[in-house]
Amino acid sequence: MKKSALFAFLILGLGSAFATDEDGWASTYESLSAFQKSPVSKDGSSNPYANRPGYVKPIIDNLGNVLNSNWYVSASVPQSFTFEAGLPISIISIGDDDRNYTENAEFLGQSIAYETPTIFGDHHDMTQADDGRIYGNKTLNGLGVFTYPYIQLGASFYHARIVFRGMFLPSISELRKFNLFGFGLQYSFGHFFQYMLPPAAQPLDVSIVFGYNTSGIGYRPEDYEGELNLDVSTTNFAIVIGYKPVSFIEVMMSLGYQSAEMLSYGELYQIDPYTNFRKNEIDPDITVEGNNGFRFGLEVAFQLGKSFHPVIGFDYAGKSSFTTNVLYFKQQFGEDKTPDEIAKEKGFVRGAKKAEQTTESSEQSNETPAETNDAQLEETEEAPAVDEVSSEETSTEDSFNEE
């Protein structure tokens, strides 16, 4: 049972059914109440731990960054048909920014900001007086990294690529449901301009990438009825620039925008064994956004043999993560034309205009001085002499005066 619960925690990042207040860790009721917006539950009971999106925000921060990774394995998309498959993994270190957040409270009509633990945060020092804060979960506090497993398949043809990813787990103990589906699109533009570049720049390619994920998670802690449901959605749009210094290594850089959102719903409650009535009721209904904004990535891909295509990289979107597509395979069926072959088909001669200008200059410079003098002499003979014309006009005027 505990192993199943731990597995659910690793995926969900939710409260532990085994944590207790006595050790200073948050109870299940305290942790999961953060997903309820109203301080009053639907049964009319008061919930002083409700509406704390900052407490659970590290879940979607990390989950959004992980799911927005690994959408591309190269900046180039071949014209020939290509198939790919693998188990890409993104790993994010859980740091101090995941374990604490700033909360605002009203006191005597004034807003006071104070630092308090998240669900990944530390426990309360029981030797100190109760300060009213909600502390972290014992299991999640011990996690050093965050990841999310899935299977990815892709195919490309005529420089356009489509990718599908997914994962499904059956109901296991506290984990009531788990599913992930995502698709990505990519198009590369290198075939439009590579044949016009000098040989050293021909391995350069540029592509655009779009990726979308949707995931549904259901969780019911031990000793509770009902279910907490989380709907997660993410999007990623990026421009990828790649260059191959050698044929089997590609260095890539991506710049783009990402978004992530986590919507909670459902109900959780306990049954009082003495009255058989509900107690500790929680009505999840908050929506929390992740690290929405600029995304930057650096990756290196290796084409080893005909199909083995591992990728390692670094991403930043509000926080750093590392991609490790070690088990990734990509097989191309056919050979694409080289930039020189495309240039020949199009009748494009690299540097042709410059060569024509050089030839014209050379022809002009090859004229001999004698030829130049003859040309100038001919022009002189053809043009009427100004002095002769003036002399004739003067003679005519003199004759007229004599008469």
Side-chain angles (χ1 to χ4, degrees), residues 99 102 111 136 172 185 196 225 241 321 363 376 378:
R99 303 187 188 279
T102 301
S111 179
I172 305 173
L185 302 172
M196 295 185 287
E225 299 295 331
I241 303 172
S321 61
E363 290 175 352
Q376 292 177 349
E378 291 176 0

Side-chain angles (χ1 to χ4, degrees), residues 138-185:
K138 183 178 181 180
T139 303
L140 295 181
N141 178 260
L143 296 180
V145 296
F146 192 99
T147 189
Y148 200 84
Y150 51 84
I151 298 173
Q152 184 163 298
L153 302 174
S156 63
F157 193 51
Y158 270 86
H159 310 288
R161 173 174 172 262
I162 186 168
V163 185
F164 294 100
R165 60 171 55 163
M167 180 62 72
F168 171 81
L169 294 174
S171 175
I172 305 173
S173 186
E174 287 86 357
L175 182 64
R176 309 310 299 173
K177 70 174 181 179
F178 176 79
N179 58 73
L180 167 70
F181 172 77
F183 72 91
L185 302 172

Side-chain angles (χ1 to χ4, degrees), residues 372-385:
T372 303
N373 293 335
D374 293 342
Q376 292 177 349
L377 181 59
E378 291 176 0
E379 292 178 356
T380 303
E381 291 176 351
E382 292 176 359

